[in-house]
Amino acid sequence: PMLWHIMKNYARHGYRDFILCLGYKGDVIKQYFSNYEVLMNDFTVDLRSGEIVVHKTDDQHGWRVTLADTGLTAKTGARVKRVQRYLDSDLFMVTYGDGVTDLDLRRLVAFHHAHGKIGTVTGVSPPSRYGELLIAGDRVMAFREKPQEGINVINGGYFVFKRAFLDYLGAGDECVLEREPLERLAKDGELMVYSHTGFWQCMDTYRDMEYLKGLWDRGEAPWKVW
């Protein structure tokens, strides 16, 4: 699953405590992680006693995954706000479930600590159009989601936030992370950009999926850093 690839990258850099904001098909994701041990490892079933013995062949040691139902119709900002009770530190990271990258997450976090602002967004420059970041040096001057022209650096979807960012979010379904919260954070001078020039690719379409599958099947996946 795409989520597995994203989580493997985080785990490779030492981040193994995950909160998944579930909505559509959340039951499928719950089933996947509920049965993860037997799906990802060899196991023996004793048909007399019903005992299942798992033989550890997979290396996902230390993962802690919280699966939180955040609603079918909630937008991105609302989903983050609704898992607030599971966040137990002053710093947390956010990403979408559709983008893979060879981004060095430890360097991203080190950059975030160094500038001291509330938020950091990863800026990438793919040949397509998404949310535009207007930047001066390392500072985000404005954040515009899906503009029609003038694309320079776009939102790569890998964020680091201080807990104070939760105050920018609303719990109502209509709260879109990329609209008022990030726009206001940029206006307040509290949003910085970490420029990533390596590999980044989202999976928005069937064609994207086929492209990523092809890279993986050929052993040419740049995001496989583990």
PDB file of all heavy atoms in Angstrom, residues 101-134:
ATOM      1  N   THR A 101       8.950  10.139  -1.726  1.00  0.00           N
ATOM      2  CA  THR A 101      10.110  11.000  -1.930  1.00  0.00           C
ATOM      3  C   THR A 101      11.347  10.378  -1.304  1.00  0.00           C
ATOM      4  O   THR A 101      11.241   9.485  -0.449  1.00  0.00           O
ATOM      5  CB  THR A 101       9.855  12.383  -1.281  1.00  0.00           C
ATOM      6  OG1 THR A 101      10.999  13.221  -1.479  1.00  0.00           O
ATOM      7  CG2 THR A 101       9.576  12.273   0.204  1.00  0.00           C
ATOM      8  N   ASP A 102      12.510  10.872  -1.724  1.00  0.00           N
ATOM      9  CA  ASP A 102      13.768  10.469  -1.076  1.00  0.00           C
ATOM     10  C   ASP A 102      14.226  11.535  -0.087  1.00  0.00           C
ATOM     11  O   ASP A 102      15.386  11.579   0.301  1.00  0.00           O
ATOM     12  CB  ASP A 102      14.851  10.185  -2.109  1.00  0.00           C
ATOM     13  CG  ASP A 102      15.164  11.392  -2.997  1.00  0.00           C
ATOM     14  OD1 ASP A 102      14.530  12.462  -2.818  1.00  0.00           O
ATOM     15  OD2 ASP A 102      16.044  11.278  -3.881  1.00  0.00           O
ATOM     16  N   LEU A 103      13.299  12.374   0.332  1.00  0.00           N
ATOM     17  CA  LEU A 103      13.575  13.448   1.290  1.00  0.00           C
ATOM     18  C   LEU A 103      14.222  12.910   2.564  1.00  0.00           C
ATOM     19  O   LEU A 103      13.766  11.917   3.129  1.00  0.00           O
ATOM     20  CB  LEU A 103      12.255  14.145   1.637  1.00  0.00           C
ATOM     21  CG  LEU A 103      12.256  15.189   2.750  1.00  0.00           C
ATOM     22  CD1 LEU A 103      13.068  16.403   2.334  1.00  0.00           C
ATOM     23  CD2 LEU A 103      10.823  15.592   3.098  1.00  0.00           C
ATOM     24  N   ASP A 104      15.280  13.584   3.022  1.00  0.00           N
ATOM     25  CA  ASP A 104      15.923  13.249   4.292  1.00  0.00           C
ATOM     26  C   ASP A 104      15.139  13.942   5.406  1.00  0.00           C
ATOM     27  O   ASP A 104      15.270  15.146   5.629  1.00  0.00           O
ATOM     28  CB  ASP A 104      17.381  13.718   4.291  1.00  0.00           C
ATOM     29  CG  ASP A 104      18.158  13.241   5.515  1.00  0.00           C
ATOM     30  OD1 ASP A 104      17.553  13.166   6.608  1.00  0.00           O
ATOM     31  OD2 ASP A 104      19.358  12.972   5.383  1.00  0.00           O
ATOM     32  N   LEU A 105      14.306  13.196   6.099  1.00  0.00           N
ATOM     33  CA  LEU A 105      13.400  13.765   7.095  1.00  0.00           C
ATOM     34  C   LEU A 105      14.138  14.325   8.303  1.00  0.00           C
ATOM     35  O   LEU A 105      13.673  15.273   8.937  1.00  0.00           O
ATOM     36  CB  LEU A 105      12.383  12.709   7.526  1.00  0.00           C
ATOM     37  CG  LEU A 105      11.377  12.343   6.432  1.00  0.00           C
ATOM     38  CD1 LEU A 105      10.739  11.006   6.709  1.00  0.00           C
ATOM     39  CD2 LEU A 105      10.318  13.419   6.286  1.00  0.00           C
ATOM     40  N   ARG A 106      15.290  13.760   8.625  1.00  0.00           N
ATOM     41  CA  ARG A 106      16.056  14.298   9.755  1.00  0.00           C
ATOM     42  C   ARG A 106      16.603  15.688   9.443  1.00  0.00           C
ATOM     43  O   ARG A 106      16.633  16.566  10.300  1.00  0.00           O
ATOM     44  CB  ARG A 106      17.176  13.327  10.136  1.00  0.00           C
ATOM     45  CG  ARG A 106      16.692  12.199  11.051  1.00  0.00           C
ATOM     46  CD  ARG A 106      17.789  11.252  11.423  1.00  0.00           C
ATOM     47  NE  ARG A 106      18.016  10.267  10.379  1.00  0.00           N
ATOM     48  CZ  ARG A 106      18.596   9.081  10.558  1.00  0.00           C
ATOM     49  NH1 ARG A 106      19.010   8.747  11.764  1.00  0.00           N
ATOM     50  NH2 ARG A 106      18.760   8.243   9.568  1.00  0.00           N
ATOM     51  N   ARG A 107      17.016  15.899   8.205  1.00  0.00           N
ATOM     52  CA  ARG A 107      17.470  17.228   7.802  1.00  0.00           C
ATOM     53  C   ARG A 107      16.307  18.218   7.784  1.00  0.00           C
ATOM     54  O   ARG A 107      16.469  19.391   8.134  1.00  0.00           O
ATOM     55  CB  ARG A 107      18.125  17.163   6.424  1.00  0.00           C
ATOM     56  CG  ARG A 107      19.482  16.478   6.433  1.00  0.00           C
ATOM     57  CD  ARG A 107      20.177  16.629   5.096  1.00  0.00           C
ATOM     58  NE  ARG A 107      21.512  16.028   5.120  1.00  0.00           N
ATOM     59  CZ  ARG A 107      22.365  16.067   4.114  1.00  0.00           C
ATOM     60  NH1 ARG A 107      22.025  16.687   2.974  1.00  0.00           N
ATOM     61  NH2 ARG A 107      23.547  15.497   4.204  1.00  0.00           N
ATOM     62  N   LEU A 108      15.138  17.736   7.380  1.00  0.00           N
ATOM     63  CA  LEU A 108      13.942  18.581   7.407  1.00  0.00           C
ATOM     64  C   LEU A 108      13.643  19.053   8.827  1.00  0.00           C
ATOM     65  O   LEU A 108      13.390  20.235   9.075  1.00  0.00           O
ATOM     66  CB  LEU A 108      12.753  17.806   6.847  1.00  0.00           C
ATOM     67  CG  LEU A 108      11.374  18.455   6.974  1.00  0.00           C
ATOM     68  CD1 LEU A 108      11.297  19.739   6.150  1.00  0.00           C
ATOM     69  CD2 LEU A 108      10.277  17.476   6.553  1.00  0.00           C
ATOM     70  N   VAL A 109      13.696  18.131   9.785  1.00  0.00           N
ATOM     71  CA  VAL A 109      13.414  18.466  11.180  1.00  0.00           C
ATOM     72  C   VAL A 109      14.505  19.384  11.745  1.00  0.00           C
ATOM     73  O   VAL A 109      14.220  20.329  12.486  1.00  0.00           O
ATOM     74  CB  VAL A 109      13.268  17.192  12.029  1.00  0.00           C
ATOM     75  CG1 VAL A 109      13.177  17.528  13.511  1.00  0.00           C
ATOM     76  CG2 VAL A 109      12.033  16.411  11.588  1.00  0.00           C
ATOM     77  N   ALA A 110      15.762  19.131  11.386  1.00  0.00           N
ATOM     78  CA  ALA A 110      16.856  19.984  11.853  1.00  0.00           C
ATOM     79  C   ALA A 110      16.675  21.412  11.337  1.00  0.00           C
ATOM     80  O   ALA A 110      16.897  22.385  12.067  1.00  0.00           O
ATOM     81  CB  ALA A 110      18.196  19.423  11.391  1.00  0.00           C
ATOM     82  N   PHE A 111      16.249  21.557  10.086  1.00  0.00           N
ATOM     83  CA  PHE A 111      15.968  22.872   9.516  1.00  0.00           C
ATOM     84  C   PHE A 111      14.855  23.561  10.296  1.00  0.00           C
ATOM     85  O   PHE A 111      14.929  24.751  10.604  1.00  0.00           O
ATOM     86  CB  PHE A 111      15.576  22.706   8.039  1.00  0.00           C
ATOM     87  CG  PHE A 111      15.106  23.975   7.378  1.00  0.00           C
ATOM     88  CD1 PHE A 111      16.013  24.904   6.888  1.00  0.00           C
ATOM     89  CD2 PHE A 111      13.745  24.241   7.241  1.00  0.00           C
ATOM     90  CE1 PHE A 111      15.583  26.074   6.275  1.00  0.00           C
ATOM     91  CE2 PHE A 111      13.306  25.408   6.633  1.00  0.00           C
ATOM     92  CZ  PHE A 111      14.223  26.319   6.148  1.00  0.00           C
ATOM     93  N   HIS A 112      13.817  22.809  10.624  1.00  0.00           N
ATOM     94  CA  HIS A 112      12.690  23.358  11.375  1.00  0.00           C
ATOM     95  C   HIS A 112      13.146  23.874  12.745  1.00  0.00           C
ATOM     96  O   HIS A 112      12.782  24.979  13.159  1.00  0.00           O
ATOM     97  CB  HIS A 112      11.612  22.292  11.548  1.00  0.00           C
ATOM     98  CG  HIS A 112      10.440  22.752  12.349  1.00  0.00           C
ATOM     99  ND1 HIS A 112       9.440  23.534  11.818  1.00  0.00           N
ATOM    100  CD2 HIS A 112      10.115  22.560  13.649  1.00  0.00           C
ATOM    101  CE1 HIS A 112       8.547  23.804  12.757  1.00  0.00           C
ATOM    102  NE2 HIS A 112       8.938  23.222  13.872  1.00  0.00           N
ATOM    103  N   HIS A 113      13.940  23.088  13.432  1.00  0.00           N
ATOM    104  CA  HIS A 113      14.445  23.516  14.747  1.00  0.00           C
ATOM    105  C   HIS A 113      15.307  24.772  14.616  1.00  0.00           C
ATOM    106  O   HIS A 113      15.252  25.662  15.477  1.00  0.00           O
ATOM    107  CB  HIS A 113      15.269  22.398  15.380  1.00  0.00           C
ATOM    108  CG  HIS A 113      14.447  21.309  16.002  1.00  0.00           C
ATOM    109  ND1 HIS A 113      13.508  21.543  16.977  1.00  0.00           N
ATOM    110  CD2 HIS A 113      14.456  19.963  15.782  1.00  0.00           C
ATOM    111  CE1 HIS A 113      12.945  20.397  17.344  1.00  0.00           C
ATOM    112  NE2 HIS A 113      13.505  19.426  16.631  1.00  0.00           N
ATOM    113  N   ALA A 114      16.066  24.853  13.546  1.00  0.00           N
ATOM    114  CA  ALA A 114      17.013  25.957  13.387  1.00  0.00           C
ATOM    115  C   ALA A 114      16.332  27.309  13.180  1.00  0.00           C
ATOM    116  O   ALA A 114      16.800  28.327  13.686  1.00  0.00           O
ATOM    117  CB  ALA A 114      17.953  25.670  12.214  1.00  0.00           C
ATOM    118  N   HIS A 115      15.215  27.336  12.466  1.00  0.00           N
ATOM    119  CA  HIS A 115      14.596  28.640  12.200  1.00  0.00           C
ATOM    120  C   HIS A 115      13.629  29.079  13.292  1.00  0.00           C
ATOM    121  O   HIS A 115      13.328  30.261  13.427  1.00  0.00           O
ATOM    122  CB  HIS A 115      13.916  28.670  10.825  1.00  0.00           C
ATOM    123  CG  HIS A 115      12.756  27.740  10.650  1.00  0.00           C
ATOM    124  ND1 HIS A 115      11.595  27.805  11.395  1.00  0.00           N
ATOM    125  CD2 HIS A 115      12.571  26.713   9.758  1.00  0.00           C
ATOM    126  CE1 HIS A 115      10.755  26.885  10.977  1.00  0.00           C
ATOM    127  NE2 HIS A 115      11.324  26.199  10.011  1.00  0.00           N
ATOM    128  N   GLY A 116      13.112  28.170  14.096  1.00  0.00           N
ATOM    129  CA  GLY A 116      12.305  28.543  15.255  1.00  0.00           C
ATOM    130  C   GLY A 116      10.882  28.992  14.979  1.00  0.00           C
ATOM    131  O   GLY A 116      10.167  29.398  15.905  1.00  0.00           O
ATOM    132  N   LYS A 117      10.415  28.929  13.746  1.00  0.00           N
ATOM    133  CA  LYS A 117       9.052  29.327  13.425  1.00  0.00           C
ATOM    134  C   LYS A 117       8.071  28.189  13.722  1.00  0.00           C
ATOM    135  O   LYS A 117       8.475  27.082  14.073  1.00  0.00           O
ATOM    136  CB  LYS A 117       8.949  29.733  11.953  1.00  0.00           C
ATOM    137  CG  LYS A 117       9.877  30.874  11.555  1.00  0.00           C
ATOM    138  CD  LYS A 117       9.496  32.181  12.232  1.00  0.00           C
ATOM    139  CE  LYS A 117      10.341  33.335  11.711  1.00  0.00           C
ATOM    140  NZ  LYS A 117      10.012  34.629  12.344  1.00  0.00           N
ATOM    141  N   ILE A 118       6.787  28.455  13.554  1.00  0.00           N
ATOM    142  CA  ILE A 118       5.768  27.449  13.872  1.00  0.00           C
ATOM    143  C   ILE A 118       5.736  26.321  12.850  1.00  0.00           C
ATOM    144  O   ILE A 118       5.576  25.154  13.208  1.00  0.00           O
ATOM    145  CB  ILE A 118       4.371  28.098  13.972  1.00  0.00           C
ATOM    146  CG1 ILE A 118       4.305  29.001  15.213  1.00  0.00           C
ATOM    147  CG2 ILE A 118       3.271  27.038  14.033  1.00  0.00           C
ATOM    148  CD1 ILE A 118       2.989  29.760  15.348  1.00  0.00           C
ATOM    149  N   GLY A 119       5.890  26.658  11.567  1.00  0.00           N
ATOM    150  CA  GLY A 119       5.719  25.640  10.544  1.00  0.00           C
ATOM    151  C   GLY A 119       6.799  25.606   9.490  1.00  0.00           C
ATOM    152  O   GLY A 119       7.438  26.615   9.175  1.00  0.00           O
ATOM    153  N   THR A 120       6.999  24.407   8.922  1.00  0.00           N
ATOM    154  CA  THR A 120       7.886  24.206   7.784  1.00  0.00           C
ATOM    155  C   THR A 120       7.143  23.367   6.756  1.00  0.00           C
ATOM    156  O   THR A 120       6.533  22.361   7.091  1.00  0.00           O
ATOM    157  CB  THR A 120       9.172  23.461   8.187  1.00  0.00           C
ATOM    158  OG1 THR A 120       9.906  24.242   9.132  1.00  0.00           O
ATOM    159  CG2 THR A 120      10.053  23.197   6.973  1.00  0.00           C
ATOM    160  N   VAL A 121       7.194  23.800   5.517  1.00  0.00           N
ATOM    161  CA  VAL A 121       6.646  23.026   4.412  1.00  0.00           C
ATOM    162  C   VAL A 121       7.789  22.683   3.467  1.00  0.00           C
ATOM    163  O   VAL A 121       8.712  23.481   3.281  1.00  0.00           O
ATOM    164  CB  VAL A 121       5.540  23.811   3.666  1.00  0.00           C
ATOM    165  CG1 VAL A 121       6.049  25.160   3.171  1.00  0.00           C
ATOM    166  CG2 VAL A 121       4.980  23.001   2.495  1.00  0.00           C
ATOM    167  N   THR A 122       7.756  21.500   2.897  1.00  0.00           N
ATOM    168  CA  THR A 122       8.773  21.098   1.936  1.00  0.00           C
ATOM    169  C   THR A 122       8.380  21.588   0.553  1.00  0.00           C
ATOM    170  O   THR A 122       7.280  21.300   0.072  1.00  0.00           O
ATOM    171  CB  THR A 122       8.934  19.566   1.923  1.00  0.00           C
ATOM    172  OG1 THR A 122       9.358  19.144   3.222  1.00  0.00           O
ATOM    173  CG2 THR A 122       9.968  19.132   0.903  1.00  0.00           C
ATOM    174  N   GLY A 123       9.264  22.332  -0.078  1.00  0.00           N
ATOM    175  CA  GLY A 123       9.024  22.842  -1.421  1.00  0.00           C
ATOM    176  C   GLY A 123       9.705  21.975  -2.458  1.00  0.00           C
ATOM    177  O   GLY A 123      10.874  21.615  -2.319  1.00  0.00           O
ATOM    178  N   VAL A 124       8.959  21.602  -3.497  1.00  0.00           N
ATOM    179  CA  VAL A 124       9.507  20.797  -4.595  1.00  0.00           C
ATOM    180  C   VAL A 124       9.154  21.480  -5.911  1.00  0.00           C
ATOM    181  O   VAL A 124       8.278  22.339  -5.967  1.00  0.00           O
ATOM    182  CB  VAL A 124       8.969  19.353  -4.569  1.00  0.00           C
ATOM    183  CG1 VAL A 124       9.410  18.640  -3.289  1.00  0.00           C
ATOM    184  CG2 VAL A 124       7.442  19.338  -4.678  1.00  0.00           C
ATOM    185  N   SER A 125       9.812  21.070  -6.986  1.00  0.00           N
ATOM    186  CA  SER A 125       9.583  21.698  -8.297  1.00  0.00           C
ATOM    187  C   SER A 125       9.347  20.642  -9.375  1.00  0.00           C
ATOM    188  O   SER A 125      10.157  20.483 -10.295  1.00  0.00           O
ATOM    189  CB  SER A 125      10.777  22.576  -8.683  1.00  0.00           C
ATOM    190  OG  SER A 125      10.983  23.591  -7.735  1.00  0.00           O
ATOM    191  N   PRO A 126       8.236  19.918  -9.305  1.00  0.00           N
ATOM    192  CA  PRO A 126       7.919  18.941 -10.352  1.00  0.00           C
ATOM    193  C   PRO A 126       7.284  19.632 -11.557  1.00  0.00           C
ATOM    194  O   PRO A 126       6.851  20.776 -11.469  1.00  0.00           O
ATOM    195  CB  PRO A 126       6.908  18.022  -9.660  1.00  0.00           C
ATOM    196  CG  PRO A 126       6.182  18.945  -8.743  1.00  0.00           C
ATOM    197  CD  PRO A 126       7.214  19.934  -8.254  1.00  0.00           C
ATOM    198  N   PRO A 127       7.184  18.941 -12.678  1.00  0.00           N
ATOM    199  CA  PRO A 127       6.604  19.546 -13.876  1.00  0.00           C
ATOM    200  C   PRO A 127       5.082  19.475 -13.883  1.00  0.00           C
ATOM    201  O   PRO A 127       4.472  18.986 -14.827  1.00  0.00           O
ATOM    202  CB  PRO A 127       7.200  18.688 -14.999  1.00  0.00           C
ATOM    203  CG  PRO A 127       7.354  17.349 -14.373  1.00  0.00           C
ATOM    204  CD  PRO A 127       7.755  17.615 -12.940  1.00  0.00           C
ATOM    205  N   SER A 128       4.446  19.933 -12.798  1.00  0.00           N
ATOM    206  CA  SER A 128       2.990  19.944 -12.731  1.00  0.00           C
ATOM    207  C   SER A 128       2.572  20.995 -11.720  1.00  0.00           C
ATOM    208  O   SER A 128       3.412  21.580 -11.040  1.00  0.00           O
ATOM    209  CB  SER A 128       2.457  18.570 -12.336  1.00  0.00           C
ATOM    210  OG  SER A 128       3.054  18.127 -11.146  1.00  0.00           O
ATOM    211  N   ARG A 129       1.265  21.230 -11.569  1.00  0.00           N
ATOM    212  CA  ARG A 129       0.791  22.360 -10.788  1.00  0.00           C
ATOM    213  C   ARG A 129      -0.006  21.939  -9.563  1.00  0.00           C
ATOM    214  O   ARG A 129      -1.003  21.245  -9.659  1.00  0.00           O
ATOM    215  CB  ARG A 129      -0.071  23.280 -11.662  1.00  0.00           C
ATOM    216  CG  ARG A 129       0.740  23.892 -12.778  1.00  0.00           C
ATOM    217  CD  ARG A 129      -0.074  24.878 -13.580  1.00  0.00           C
ATOM    218  NE  ARG A 129       0.764  25.561 -14.558  1.00  0.00           N
ATOM    219  CZ  ARG A 129       0.340  26.526 -15.350  1.00  0.00           C
ATOM    220  NH1 ARG A 129      -0.912  26.927 -15.312  1.00  0.00           N
ATOM    221  NH2 ARG A 129       1.172  27.087 -16.205  1.00  0.00           N
ATOM    222  N   TYR A 130       0.443  22.438  -8.422  1.00  0.00           N
ATOM    223  CA  TYR A 130      -0.235  22.179  -7.155  1.00  0.00           C
ATOM    224  C   TYR A 130      -0.249  23.479  -6.357  1.00  0.00           C
ATOM    225  O   TYR A 130      -0.325  24.552  -6.922  1.00  0.00           O
ATOM    226  CB  TYR A 130       0.478  21.049  -6.399  1.00  0.00           C
ATOM    227  CG  TYR A 130       0.488  19.762  -7.160  1.00  0.00           C
ATOM    228  CD1 TYR A 130       1.515  19.480  -8.060  1.00  0.00           C
ATOM    229  CD2 TYR A 130      -0.542  18.835  -7.027  1.00  0.00           C
ATOM    230  CE1 TYR A 130       1.522  18.314  -8.804  1.00  0.00           C
ATOM    231  CE2 TYR A 130      -0.541  17.667  -7.768  1.00  0.00           C
ATOM    232  CZ  TYR A 130       0.493  17.408  -8.650  1.00  0.00           C
ATOM    233  OH  TYR A 130       0.491  16.252  -9.385  1.00  0.00           O
ATOM    234  N   GLY A 131      -0.163  23.377  -5.046  1.00  0.00           N
ATOM    235  CA  GLY A 131      -0.166  24.592  -4.236  1.00  0.00           C
ATOM    236  C   GLY A 131       1.142  25.359  -4.375  1.00  0.00           C
ATOM    237  O   GLY A 131       2.209  24.779  -4.220  1.00  0.00           O
ATOM    238  N   GLU A 132       1.068  26.643  -4.679  1.00  0.00           N
ATOM    239  CA  GLU A 132       2.266  27.452  -4.946  1.00  0.00           C
ATOM    240  C   GLU A 132       2.784  28.114  -3.678  1.00  0.00           C
ATOM    241  O   GLU A 132       2.026  28.656  -2.877  1.00  0.00           O
ATOM    242  CB  GLU A 132       1.936  28.549  -5.961  1.00  0.00           C
ATOM    243  CG  GLU A 132       3.140  29.419  -6.292  1.00  0.00           C
ATOM    244  CD  GLU A 132       2.807  30.508  -7.294  1.00  0.00           C
ATOM    245  OE1 GLU A 132       1.655  30.553  -7.767  1.00  0.00           O
ATOM    246  OE2 GLU A 132       3.697  31.316  -7.592  1.00  0.00           O
ATOM    247  N   LEU A 133       4.102  28.062  -3.502  1.00  0.00           N
ATOM    248  CA  LEU A 133       4.770  28.760  -2.415  1.00  0.00           C
ATOM    249  C   LEU A 133       5.527  29.943  -2.991  1.00  0.00           C
ATOM    250  O   LEU A 133       6.389  29.777  -3.857  1.00  0.00           O
ATOM    251  CB  LEU A 133       5.770  27.835  -1.706  1.00  0.00           C
ATOM    252  CG  LEU A 133       5.225  26.545  -1.108  1.00  0.00           C
ATOM    253  CD1 LEU A 133       6.380  25.717  -0.553  1.00  0.00           C
ATOM    254  CD2 LEU A 133       4.223  26.845  -0.020  1.00  0.00           C
ATOM    255  N   LEU A 134       5.203  31.141  -2.538  1.00  0.00           N
ATOM    256  CA  LEU A 134       5.960  32.329  -2.923  1.00  0.00           C
ATOM    257  C   LEU A 134       6.969  32.590  -1.814  1.00  0.00           C
ATOM    258  O   LEU A 134       6.595  32.856  -0.672  1.00  0.00           O
ATOM    259  CB  LEU A 134       5.016  33.518  -3.089  1.00  0.00           C
ATOM    260  CG  LEU A 134       3.905  33.335  -4.128  1.00  0.00           C
ATOM    261  CD1 LEU A 134       3.039  34.583  -4.199  1.00  0.00           C
ATOM    262  CD2 LEU A 134       4.483  33.008  -5.499  1.00  0.00           C
TER     263      LEU A 134
END
